[in-house]
Amino acid sequence: MRKTLYLKFILAYVLFGLFGFFIVATFISRLTFAFFLQHDARNLYRCASEISETQAVSLYNSEVSLDSVQRQMELIGRYTETEIWILNPSGRMVVNTAQAPDPEKEIVVEGFDPTVTQGSYYTTGRFFDSFSEDRLSVIAPIISNYKTRGYVIIHEPLERIDITANRFLNITYVLLIVLFLLSMIILIFFTEVVYKPLRSIIRATEQYAAGNMNYELNIEGEDEMGYLAASLGYMARTVASSEEDQKKFIANVSHDFRSPLTSIRGFLEAMLDGTIPPEMHEHYLKVVLNETERLTKLTNGLLTLNNLGTRGMLLQIVQFDINKTIRSVAASFEQTCRNRNIRIRLILSGQTLFVEADMDKIQQVLYNLTDNAIKFSPENSEVEIETTEKGNKVIVSVKDNGIGIPREDQKQIWERFYKSDLSRGKDKKGTGLGLSIAREIIRAHGENITLVSTEGVGSKFSFTLKRLDINDAPDDLDDLGRWLRDMRDNPDEIDEFAPPEEDGSQK
Ligand code: ADP
């Protein structure tokens, strides 16, 4: 492709030149000759008619002498560089500017026929073999008393018309050469602006195809080529980084699967070969069970992420009460909270707060955030879940007074499998997938999730949701719902957590 594109352009250029010369040499040349022939014929005929109406008629009416007409014709002939004849209808020469006719010796144009012009006023050729080379001959009849008394015939060598036409053609050739040379600028321009950058791009794509994603493509400029090169470079960098991510991902997955499997295998072998005595079996079987739970959690997390990562994740957008969802998630942590004496405080805006989102997925986000908040909180502390309205958005935040996240880790915690060193000792079961899942879900909704955290003080995760206008709330609200909606005007801002009466779906 590389060679042919350039060759094609050169070929087109050469063809353009050759074709131009061919057209000028044939078509234009013929047209030019015809144009000058017509032009001269018209002028000469006008001249011949003039002579026939004046001098020739006078001659036939014997008003002027033959000598005087002969001299006058010679004068005109010399001036126009032509040969002028006056012939009788029978073809007898009366006047000839090339050679004055001898009254003693009659000259007759053999076979003279005035209709030789075939309806036109001129003819080309050797004029009844009177000349050795071709002439343009115009014939004008001499009419007196309604009778044709003779003919005025003017001859001009065709060679002269040829010379004039060729002179004109030469100018055209020069013009064509100038044009051809000028169009070379286009060729040079094409080479510099299109061909060379294109070659660099092809070289780069070959390198990328061979796996060298770090190949530098140096094409600058704001035109389409520059844009193409920049896009290609961006694509290469993205592919390179996604390859890197993939390697990291596989390494993480393998590592996270291998450690529980190794410990399960170790315990089972120890039980089988008696290293662990039978009375301790129950204890270690529980440990093994714990590890298998972790593997299940890991597999489920990976599956969820895989589904979320697929482009155009299908969300089942419904209108629901986020406050109710929060209450139900909080309820599902009741036992855990009781064990560690942690209180979940709900600060909800209004009794009901309708949003438009995928309820199950938002519930999962809430579950992941609350789970983390409890996991990383000390005993006897408090976790706050708050909803606030801002314009057409609802902000949901989950705040804890736990270990916090070091500043340098705050960007990475959203990555798959990332666990900050601070948390490792406290959470051996964590997969490092919870926050990536939460972020993917919120992003799929076109919303944002953010984190504010201080090491040793606590963390606050907040995400936005699309608020449903109260007037758009579903019509099928039950009586309680309608009553709650009316209550919105006097919301009880602080709502202490109490297990809800509705059954909250547990995760
Ligand atoms: P995991 O299953 O390990 O909790 P996540 O993706 O949910 O995975 O969290 C990733 C890491 O972010 C955690 O291992 C922890 O280091 C940190 N993290 C998340 N939430 C909190 C929090 N509320 N307080 C302190 N650290 C947190």
Side-chain angles (χ1 to χ4, degrees):
M1 180 254 170
R2 214 174 357 170
K3 273 181 196 148
T4 50
L5 183 64
Y6 199 58
L7 279 182
K8 275 179 194 164
F9 210 77
I10 297 263
L11 196 72
Y13 180 69
V14 171
L15 274 181
F16 163 74
L18 287 179
F19 201 60
F21 275 96
F22 177 74
I23 293 276
V24 172
T26 56
F27 197 57
I28 303 284
S29 146
R30 227 173 291 152
L31 274 182
T32 313
F33 182 77
F35 170 78
F36 281 106
L37 186 75
Q38 293 270 352
H39 175 263
D40 280 19
R42 217 172 18 246
N43 283 348
L44 292 182
Y45 184 75
R46 221 176 286 137
C47 183
S49 303
E50 192 72 22
I51 294 170
S52 88
E53 281 163 22
T54 54
Q55 303 290 322
V57 171
S58 305
L59 177 70
Y60 278 98
N61 291 341
S62 308
E63 288 160 12
V64 284
S65 72
L66 183 62
D67 258 4
S68 118
V69 173
Q70 170 75 28
R71 255 181 284 117
Q72 280 203 16
M73 292 303 110
E74 276 172 12
L75 205 70
I76 297 172
R78 221 173 298 134
Y79 179 70
T80 55
E81 291 182 56
T82 54
E83 194 172 318
I84 305 173
W85 292 356
I86 293 179
L87 295 187
N88 274 350
S90 60
R92 191 172 69 79
M93 188 77 77
V94 180
V95 170
N96 181 349
T97 57
Q99 190 187 11
D102 187 351
E104 304 297 312
K105 207 170 130 214
E106 188 174 84
I107 298 173
V108 176
V109 176
E110 290 299 333
F112 171 67
D113 177 5
T115 61
V116 69
T117 56
Q118 291 175 338
S120 164
Y121 46 83
Y122 73 91
T123 177
T124 53
R126 290 200 268 154
F127 205 75
F128 304 101
D129 282 334
S130 314
F131 301 101
S132 53
E133 75 287 342
D134 286 345
R135 304 270 157 146
L136 159 69
S137 310
V138 295
I139 304 176
I142 306 163
I143 295 167
S144 166
N145 296 331
Y146 308 107
K147 268 170 115 186
T148 303
R149 311 293 292 268
Y151 297 93
V152 175
I153 300 161
I154 306 182
H155 306 282
E156 181 187 6
L158 273 186
E159 203 190 344
R160 245 184 54 211
I161 298 175
D162 246 349
I163 290 170
T164 322
N166 281 341
R167 235 178 258 152
F168 177 82
L169 272 182
N170 285 344
I171 297 174
T172 318
Y173 280 124
V174 171
L175 210 70
L176 198 71
I177 290 171
V178 171
L179 257 182
F180 190 66
L181 291 179
L182 279 182
S183 59
M184 200 118 87
I185 295 175
I186 299 178
L187 192 70
I188 296 169
F189 208 68
F190 168 80
T191 312
E192 289 301 319
V193 174
V194 179
Y195 184 64
K196 281 189 181 169
L198 203 59
R199 277 190 65 157
S200 307
I201 289 174
I202 292 169
R203 215 173 300 132
T205 51
E206 282 167 356
Q207 290 291 326
Y208 296 152
N212 179 11
M213 288 295 168
N214 295 321
Y215 182 81
E216 278 287 325
L217 180 55
N218 286 325
I219 296 178
E220 287 180 3
E222 309 233 311
D223 56 7
E224 285 81 350
M225 282 295 169
Y227 184 71
L228 179 64
S231 310
L232 210 61
Y234 178 72
M235 186 204 76
R237 282 193 298 278
T238 315
V239 171
S241 97
S242 82
E243 268 177 11
E244 197 61 31
D245 284 353
Q246 212 164 352
K247 274 188 201 152
K248 231 162 54 187
F249 181 72
I250 304 263
N252 281 332
V253 174
S254 321
H255 175 265
D256 277 55
F257 270 91
R258 203 169 44 199
S259 23
L261 282 175
T262 316
S263 76
I264 290 172
R265 189 183 160 167
F267 289 132
L268 292 179
E269 274 175 359
M271 276 188 252
L272 279 177
D273 65 16
T275 318
I276 296 177
E279 61 272 22
M280 297 288 281
H281 278 191
E282 193 183 334
H283 170 75
Y284 283 102
L285 279 176
K286 274 185 189 155
V287 177
V288 168
L289 195 65
N290 253 344
E291 291 293 282
T292 56
E293 258 172 36
R294 193 161 111 78
L295 279 176
T296 312
K297 203 171 155 194
L298 197 67
T299 320
N300 289 342
L302 280 174
L303 279 175
T304 314
L305 261 184
N306 199 39
N307 291 339
L308 296 179
T310 328
R311 264 184 180 269
M313 173 210 310
L314 283 181
L315 294 175
Q316 289 192 328
I317 303 288
V318 290
Q319 301 167 341
F320 66 97
D321 177 10
I322 185 73
N323 287 352
K324 185 176 164 187
T325 311
I326 290 172
R327 284 191 201 101
S328 116
V329 169
S332 70
F333 285 99
E334 198 190 344
Q335 191 54 43
T336 325
C337 290
R338 199 169 289 149
N339 292 345
R340 298 184 52 212
N341 199 18
I342 291 175
R343 200 164 78 107
I344 298 184
R345 198 163 123 94
L346 302 183
I347 307 173
L348 305 177
S349 169
Q351 286 294 325
T352 57
L353 182 53
F354 281 90
V355 292
E356 244 180 10
D358 184 320
M359 193 169 92
D360 286 343
K361 294 207 165 67
I362 295 301
Q363 197 165 21
Q364 174 151 26
V365 174
L366 275 167
Y367 185 88
N368 290 358
L369 296 183
T370 316
D371 185 38
N372 280 346
I374 294 171
K375 251 186 337 197
F376 300 115
S377 284
E379 289 193 357
N380 308 318
S381 63
E382 201 172 70
V383 167
E384 266 176 27
I385 307 181
E386 186 180 5
T387 53
T388 38
E389 296 169 65
K390 203 168 186 190
N392 62 347
K393 297 279 178 200
V394 167
I395 303 170
V396 182
S397 45
V398 179
K399 188 176 155 227
D400 64 61
N401 300 303
I403 56 171
I405 302 167
R407 183 170 277 278
E408 61 275 16
D409 288 344
Q410 288 184 11
K411 264 199 177 147
Q412 282 129 292
I413 51 151
W414 306 103
E415 287 171 16
R416 295 164 184 199
F417 296 110
Y418 190 82
K419 296 180 210 168
S420 85
D421 288 340
L422 215 58
S423 67
R424 278 184 201 278
K426 300 205 175 332
D427 173 38
K428 295 202 176 64
K429 275 197 192 168
T431 58
L433 294 176
L435 287 181
S436 339
I437 293 175
R439 186 175 66 164
E440 291 285 345
I441 292 175
I442 297 299
R443 276 191 175 173
H445 280 79
E447 301 290 342
N448 288 310
I449 181 162
T450 54
L451 159 70
V452 180
S453 181
T454 310
E455 196 179 331
V457 177
S459 316
K460 183 177 176 182
F461 286 88
S462 310
F463 63 90
T464 57
L465 285 176
K466 187 172 175 246
R467 196 185 125 195
L468 182 73
D469 198 313
I470 193 69
N471 300 320
D472 297 340
D475 288 336
D476 57 354
L477 278 179
D478 52 16
D479 287 343
L480 175 65
R482 240 176 256 122
W483 180 77
L484 289 175
R485 188 165 68 179
D486 296 340
M487 283 286 287
R488 278 175 58 86
D489 294 337
N490 303 303
D492 179 15
E493 279 277 287
I494 299 185
D495 181 15
E496 287 285 340
F497 168 68
E501 279 160 25
E502 313 94 20
D503 57 327
S505 66
Q506 312 277 316
K507 286 250 157 180

